[in-house]
């Protein structure tokens, strides 16, 4: 291997930086959407200002996500094709963990497309699809933790912990401010807010933080491909 390969190419750094910034911005978007919805909406700030900030954060997330995807495909080390950017689990390099990122991207693209056609869809249908943005966040988090070669570094772990804490805090804040009704929805949200940190912690402890994770992550290609 060349020294450049060992140290990481500029495209690798650009991909990791773009992906990390996209995760942080997506986290901020999700936190704002959860914490400012329903009865939890702050009275000192107008809904128009909150909606504008939410939209701008979403667009900025997509910008850095595009940078992350393009630089990852152009990086010659992993040999990714353009098809894997929209087809989950089709990559030969860490297919499961890259696939989670593709699922997150597809969900966000669905939100983007339906937002452009919001008037034709109607508010109720648009909101139903809009919830996919929240579902994209855990996929993106596990994608970063499972795929990232820098997951074991303390700054990256603290970043994941901060993103997780911010989203979980916003969920519990929203639940605390929620009024009566929608018991099933609140129960699902509470269970999710409890399960995600536990699952992520167990995954990190038994996966990326253990020696030999690169080989085990790559081995999922054989499992997903039927042993080929």
């Amino acid at each position: 291997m060349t020294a450049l390969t060992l140290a990481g190419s500029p495209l690798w750094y650009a991909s990791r930086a773009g992906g990390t910034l996209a995760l942080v911005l997506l986290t901020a978007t999700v936190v704002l959407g959860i914490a400012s919805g329903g009865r939890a909406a702050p009275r000192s700030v107008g809904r128009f200002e909150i909606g504008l900030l939410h939209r701008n954060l979403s667009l900025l997330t997509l910008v850095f996500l595009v940078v992350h995807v393009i630089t990852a495909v152009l990086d010659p080390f992993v040999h990714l094709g353009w098809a894997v950017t929209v087809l989950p689990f089709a990559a030969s390099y860490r297919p499961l963990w890259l696939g989670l990122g593709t699922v997150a991207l597809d969900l966000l693209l669905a939100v983007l497309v339906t937002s452009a056609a919001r008037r034709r869809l109607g508010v109720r249908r648009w909101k139903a699809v809009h919830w996919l943005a929240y579902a994209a966040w855990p996929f993106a988090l596990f994608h970063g933790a499972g795929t990232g070669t820098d997951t074991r570094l303390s700054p990256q772990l603290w970043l994941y912990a901060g993103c997780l804490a911010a989203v979980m805090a916003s969920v519990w804040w929203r639940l605390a401010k929620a009024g009566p009704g929608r018991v099933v929805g609140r129960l699902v949200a509470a269970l999710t807010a409890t399960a995600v940190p536990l699952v992520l912690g167990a995954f990190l402890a038994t996966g990326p933080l253990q020696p030999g994770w690169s080989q085990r992550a790559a081995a999922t290609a054989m499992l997903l491909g039927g042993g080929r």
Side-chain angles (χ1 to χ4, degrees):
M1 291 185 180
T2 64
L4 183 60
T5 302
L6 292 173
S9 70
L11 288 172
W12 181 88
Y13 285 115
S15 179
R16 289 303 296 157
T20 299
L21 288 172
L23 176 62
V24 171
L25 290 168
L26 178 60
T27 300
T29 304
V30 169
V31 168
L32 182 63
I34 295 175
S36 63
R39 295 173 179 265
R43 298 180 180 179
S44 58
V45 183
R47 286 190 175 273
F48 174 79
E49 288 80 3
I50 294 176
L52 184 61
L53 178 60
H54 185 75
R55 185 188 66 181
N56 290 339
L57 283 174
S58 301
L59 293 175
L60 199 56
T61 299
L62 289 172
V63 169
F64 282 102
L65 188 56
V66 169
V67 172
H68 172 62
V69 171
I70 292 177
T71 52
V73 172
L74 294 180
D75 188 353
F77 179 72
V78 292
H79 302 290
L80 298 176
W82 291 106
V84 304
T85 62
V86 292
L87 298 177
F89 316 112
S92 57
Y93 175 80
R94 300 189 179 185
L96 177 59
W97 312 109
L98 279 175
L100 295 179
T102 303
V103 171
L105 174 61
D106 289 344
L107 293 175
L108 292 176
L109 288 178
V111 174
L112 177 65
V113 171
T114 54
S115 294
R118 180 176 178 178
R119 293 184 178 181
R120 294 184 178 182
L121 289 174
V123 176
R124 182 171 298 180
R125 292 180 180 177
W126 174 80
K127 282 187 175 182
V129 179
H130 192 71
W131 278 97
L132 294 176
Y134 298 107
W137 179 79
F139 284 109
L141 183 63
F142 278 87
H143 160 72
T147 307
T149 53
D150 51 3
T151 298
R152 299 178 68 178
L153 299 179
S154 296
Q156 197 70 16
L157 286 174
W158 279 111
L159 185 142
Y160 292 146
C163 291
L164 181 64
V167 173
M168 294 305 103
S170 66
V171 171
W172 289 112
W173 165 261
R174 178 72 176 268
L175 290 173
K177 294 291 183 177
R182 298 184 179 181
V183 177
V184 175
R186 286 186 290 166
L187 180 60
V188 171
L191 291 175
T192 302
T194 303
V196 170
L198 295 176
V199 173
L200 181 63
F203 166 64
L204 289 173
T206 59
L209 299 185
Q210 294 297 319
W213 169 247
S214 296
Q215 290 76 13
R216 285 189 287 150
T220 55
M222 298 180 63
L223 296 176
L224 293 176
R228 291 175 292 179

